[in-house]
Structure formats: structure tokens, C-alpha cells
């Protein structure tokens, strides 16, 4: 897996983690799941991994935003 590639990881307990891969090692993966949020996934607990082709933005994020709020969001996203 390449750094900064979006992926979905399925764990033994059935949970899923979606995000950008920040770091990989022989025993696990660190995934950025949100702004300033990472999770370390132990390789022995990962039962599946695949490319994620969907958006990382939460569903409904733009609903109810006016034009100024959309412009603010766009300006923020450009800084990332």
C-alpha cells in the first residue's frame, strides 16, 4: 500500500476503518481517519483491505450550507 492512498480495512471483529494511509510497517498500518485523527491497525487483526473509491467527506456535509459557508469550506480544503 502506498502512503496517502485511500483504503478501507476490514478487521477480524467486523469493524471497518476508512482513510488515508499515513505509514505502513511489517506489523501494521497507521491510517488517517480524519483531521488530526489516526488509528493504528495491527496487521494480525486485518482480514481485508481494498482501495476506497468513495469520498472521504461525510455524507450530507454540504446540505444546508449557504454560498458563503460553501466558499469557506472550499478555502479550508485548499489549505490541506
Amino acid at each position: 500500500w502506498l502512503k496517502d492512498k485511500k483504503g478501507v480495512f476490514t478487521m477480524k471483529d467486523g469493524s471497518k476503518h476508512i482513510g488515508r494511509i499515513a505509514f505502513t510497517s511489517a506489523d501494521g498500518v497507521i491510517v488517517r481517519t480524519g483531521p488530526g485523527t489516526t488509528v493504528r491497525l495491527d496487521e494480525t487483526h486485518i482480514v481485508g483491505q481494498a482501495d476506497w473509491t468513495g469520498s472521504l467527506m461525510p455524507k450530507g456535509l454540504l446540505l444546508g450550507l449557504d454560498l458563503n459557508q460553501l466558499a469557506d469550506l472550499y478555502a479550508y480544503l485548499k489549505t490541506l
Side-chain angles (χ1 to χ4, degrees), residues 55 57-67 69-74 77:
S55 173
M57 290 178 52
K59 288 184 181 183
L61 178 68
L62 303 180
L63 295 177
L65 296 182
D66 63 33
L67 290 177
Q69 292 168 320
L70 286 171
D72 289 344
L73 176 61
Y74 178 72
L77 292 174

Side-chain angles (χ1 to χ4, degrees), residues 44-55:
T44 63
H45 295 124
I46 299 171
V47 294
Q49 58 190 50
D51 289 345
W52 179 256
T53 57
S55 173

Side-chain angles (χ1 to χ4, degrees), residues 13-69:
D13 66 2
S15 64
K16 293 186 185 232
H17 298 277
I18 300 169
R20 292 196 178 270
I21 298 165
F23 182 79
T24 58
S25 68
D27 63 347
V29 179
I30 295 176
V31 180
R32 280 185 275 152
T33 57
T37 306
T38 60
V39 62
R40 185 189 177 286
L41 306 176
D42 189 308
E43 186 68 32
T44 63
H45 295 124
I46 299 171
V47 294
Q49 58 190 50
D51 289 345
W52 179 256
T53 57
S55 173
L56 295 178
M57 290 178 52
K59 288 184 181 183
L61 178 68
L62 303 180
L63 295 177
L65 296 182
D66 63 33
L67 290 177
N68 288 330
Q69 292 168 320

